[in-house]
């Protein structure tokens, strides 16, 4: 500890951004991570077939905030990339977010025209609405459309992804992917939608490349740190920490889950490669709500577009995260009960001197990348 000004636990986006900010302020920072690589869940690499793949699932950066976009541009060259996604329903593919093409697929031409006309009148020219709003419409035909999508996609996907019924999941999850009232495609509408020219790993290499930053991989922080008995300090190998600590892991695990484990969802990836085709599905990321077991398939020669032989893709199987097993916690399971439990851990963490927590796991929030970046920059500024 005498060789550093700050200790940061986690070399993902949140930890790395905070480390860079502190380093540029002249502070000596040590970053540790239990994995054998930097970049957290954004880590990517070229597989044995020369295809750039993302080990922990698909990531694209999108934001409406120019300052966040410009921050990313400091550490890598980026190229425009508009993500298109789809879903297989009743054996046919449709874009997601669902749009008028979806209506044409699910209804007769007469009923499709009638439904689209009613939507235009009811929503007064709005471009999108959540499936919750559509299901709650006073127009029976419109609400029926919402319920149809809920039955064939949202409820099935949600149940598999989160391991509980859609009624138990926080409504914010159902609102993440709205419905489009047009034939427009594209998963996001943000002003800036980009992918790295080289790789996300290159971005992190540049981000952490500073004389004041030391990175140590393969170090399990929880084997070395814990909260003191009085709940006011961090102990490192039994000794009271003499430097501030920034923590980006699961907050309940820091407290040894002594008030109960917070629920996170994990993923198992089944990786496949085929030499005899360049495409197995029409969209780079495609959901399969009606299939057993898995939720979606990501085809990486389309994310970003790569001129390679064959295709490499990953099939995602959601599962419950179990601490201590060879899993990664990906998503906080947001319910009224879990958020109440997380708030209790946060109140305890707020009482620890010279201790900061940040990130999707520590904050127990379902951040997009730009939201995680903004939160990290805010925490970094508050530290200084």
């Amino acid at each position: 500890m005498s060789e550093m000004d700050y200790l940061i636990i986690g070399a993902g986006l949140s930890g790395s951004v905070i480390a860079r900010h502190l380093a540029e302020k002249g502070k000596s920072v040590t970053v540790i991570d239990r994995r054998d690589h930097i970049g957290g869940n954004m880590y990517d690499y070229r597989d044995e077939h020369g295809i750039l793949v993302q080990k922990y699932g698909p990531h694209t950066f999108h934001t409406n905030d120019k300052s966040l976009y410009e921050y990313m541009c400091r550490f890598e060259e980026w190229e425009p990339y508009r993500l298109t996604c789809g879903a297989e329903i009743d054996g046919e593919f449709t874009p997601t977010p669902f749009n008028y093409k979806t209506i044409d697929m699910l209804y007769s031409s007469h009923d499709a025209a009638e439904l689209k006309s009613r939507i235009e009148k009811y929503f007064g020219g709005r471009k999108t609405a959540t499936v919750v709003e559509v299901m709650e419409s006073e127009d029976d035909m419109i609400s029926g459309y919402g319920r149809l999508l809920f039955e064939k996609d949202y409820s099935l996907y949600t149940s598999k992804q989160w391991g509980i019924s859609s009624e138990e999941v926080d409504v914010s999850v159902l609102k993440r992917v709205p419905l489009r009232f047009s034939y427009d495609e594209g998963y996001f509408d943000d002003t800036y939608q980009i992918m790295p020219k080289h790789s996300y790993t290159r971005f992190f290499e540049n981000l952490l490349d500073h004389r004041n930053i030391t990175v140590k991989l393969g170090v399990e922080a929880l084997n070395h740190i814990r909260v003191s008995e009085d709940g006011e300090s961090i102990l490192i190998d039994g000794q009271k920490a003499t430097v501030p600590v920034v923590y980006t892991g699961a907050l309940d695990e820091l407290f040894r889950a002594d008030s109960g484990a917070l629920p996170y969802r994990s993923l198992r990836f089944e990786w496949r490669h085929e030499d005899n085709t360049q495409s197995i599905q029409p969209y780079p990321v495609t959901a399969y709500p009606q299939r057993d077991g898995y939720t979606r398939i990501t085809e990486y020669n389309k994310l970003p577009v790569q001129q390679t032989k064959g295709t490499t893709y990953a099939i995602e199987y959601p599962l419950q995260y179990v601490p201590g097993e060879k899993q990664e916690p990906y998503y906080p399971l947001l319910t009224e009960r879990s958020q109440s439990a997380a708030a209790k851990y946060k109140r305890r963490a707020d009482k620890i001197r010279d201790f900061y927590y940040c990130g999707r796991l520590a904050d127990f929030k379902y951040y997009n990348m730009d939201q995680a970046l903004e939160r990290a920059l805010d925490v970094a500024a508050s530290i200084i």
Side-chain angles (χ1 to χ4, degrees), residues 263-274:
Y264 296 90
R265 295 293 285 175
S266 186
L267 295 171
R268 177 177 66 84
F269 296 95
E270 184 176 301
W271 289 90
R272 296 183 183 178
H273 178 83
E274 295 184 21

Side-chain angles (χ1 to χ4, degrees), residues 157-211:
Y157 192 94
T158 299
S159 180
K160 285 192 292 183
Q161 176 74 359
W162 301 105
I164 58 178
S165 69
S166 54
E167 288 78 13
E168 297 175 81
V169 174
D170 188 88
V171 70
S172 64
V173 175
L174 295 176
K175 292 179 177 179
R176 282 179 63 86
V177 184
L179 308 183
R180 291 192 186 279
F181 300 143
S182 66
Y183 284 97
D184 293 343
E185 295 190 22
Y187 203 70
F188 306 110
D189 291 323
D190 300 80
T191 303
Y192 305 99
Q193 301 184 47
I194 53 176
M195 289 283 285
K197 180 178 180 179
H198 302 101
S199 67
Y200 283 114
T201 299
R202 174 78 66 88
F203 164 77
F204 279 97
E205 289 171 346
N206 294 334
L207 183 61
L208 292 168
D209 183 16
H210 193 284
R211 65 182 180 277

Side-chain angles (χ1 to χ4, degrees), residues 18-295:
I18 293 174
R20 181 72 186 209
H21 185 86
L22 295 174
E24 291 180 346
K25 297 296 183 179
K27 305 301 182 180
S28 176
V29 183
T30 295
V31 181
I32 65 174
D33 199 292
R34 62 192 174 111
R35 298 175 180 176
D36 61 359
H37 60 74
I38 59 175
N41 287 355
M42 293 168 63
Y43 172 71
D44 55 9
Y45 64 96
R46 292 201 177 274
D47 70 2
E48 60 188 290
H49 308 285
I51 297 176
L52 183 67
V53 301
Q54 300 182 39
K55 185 174 182 178
Y56 304 99
H59 294 78
T60 64
F61 187 85
H62 56 96
T63 187
N64 286 316
D65 191 322
K66 185 179 180 181
S67 66
L68 298 180
Y69 165 74
E70 290 176 341
Y71 183 90
M72 300 296 285
C73 290
R74 288 181 57 196
F75 304 103
E76 164 66 312
E77 296 177 67
W78 300 83
E79 297 179 336
Y81 182 85
R82 185 172 174 81
L83 177 66
T84 56
C85 298
E88 183 196 61
I89 296 180
D90 296 339
E92 295 187 63
F93 291 101
T94 178
T96 56
F98 298 122
N99 63 4
Y100 281 173
K101 184 176 179 180
T102 311
I103 293 176
D104 293 342
M105 185 184 85
L106 295 175
Y107 291 82
S108 68
S109 57
H110 176 272
D111 288 347
E114 175 67 16
L115 175 57
K116 286 180 283 188
S117 176
R118 291 192 184 193
I119 286 175
E120 295 291 339
K121 292 177 182 177
Y122 188 88
F123 286 98
R126 282 177 56 183
K127 294 183 178 180
T128 65
T130 68
V131 69
V132 176
E133 290 178 282
V134 173
M135 286 193 294
E136 293 176 346
S137 169
E138 296 175 355
D139 184 300
D140 290 341
M141 190 175 194
I142 295 175
S143 62
Y145 172 54
R147 289 193 301 273
L148 181 64
L149 293 178
F150 189 80
E151 293 168 3
K152 290 181 177 290
D153 181 275
Y154 285 89
S155 63
L156 301 176
Y157 192 94
T158 299
S159 180
K160 285 192 292 183
Q161 176 74 359
W162 301 105
I164 58 178
S165 69
S166 54
E167 288 78 13
E168 297 175 81
V169 174
D170 188 88
V171 70
S172 64
V173 175
L174 295 176
K175 292 179 177 179
R176 282 179 63 86
V177 184
L179 308 183
R180 291 192 186 279
F181 300 143
S182 66
Y183 284 97
D184 293 343
E185 295 190 22
Y187 203 70
F188 306 110
D189 291 323
D190 300 80
T191 303
Y192 305 99
Q193 301 184 47
I194 53 176
M195 289 283 285
K197 180 178 180 179
H198 302 101
S199 67
Y200 283 114
T201 299
R202 174 78 66 88
F203 164 77
F204 279 97
E205 289 171 346
N206 294 334
L207 183 61
L208 292 168
D209 183 16
H210 193 284
R211 65 182 180 277
N212 290 336
I213 298 177
T214 299
V215 178
K216 297 182 179 181
L217 301 176
V219 179
E220 174 53 80
L222 295 177
N223 291 339
H224 299 276
I225 72 166
R226 63 184 178 87
V227 181
S228 62
E229 291 294 330
D230 61 11
E232 296 182 354
S233 304
I234 291 292
L235 303 181
I236 301 179
D237 292 330
Q239 302 296 314
K240 185 177 292 187
T242 58
V243 299
V245 175
V246 179
Y247 180 80
T248 67
L251 201 56
D252 60 326
E253 293 185 9
L254 176 68
F255 291 97
R256 303 315 192 249
D258 58 9
S259 295
L262 296 178
Y264 296 90
R265 295 293 285 175
S266 186
L267 295 171
R268 177 177 66 84
F269 296 95
E270 184 176 301
W271 289 90
R272 296 183 183 178
H273 178 83
E274 295 184 21
D275 275 327
N276 58 354
T277 182
Q278 290 291 108
S279 177
I280 63 159
Q281 57 189 18
Y283 303 95
V285 182
T286 304
Y288 294 86
Q290 296 170 319
R291 300 289 185 96
D292 290 334
Y294 63 92
T295 48

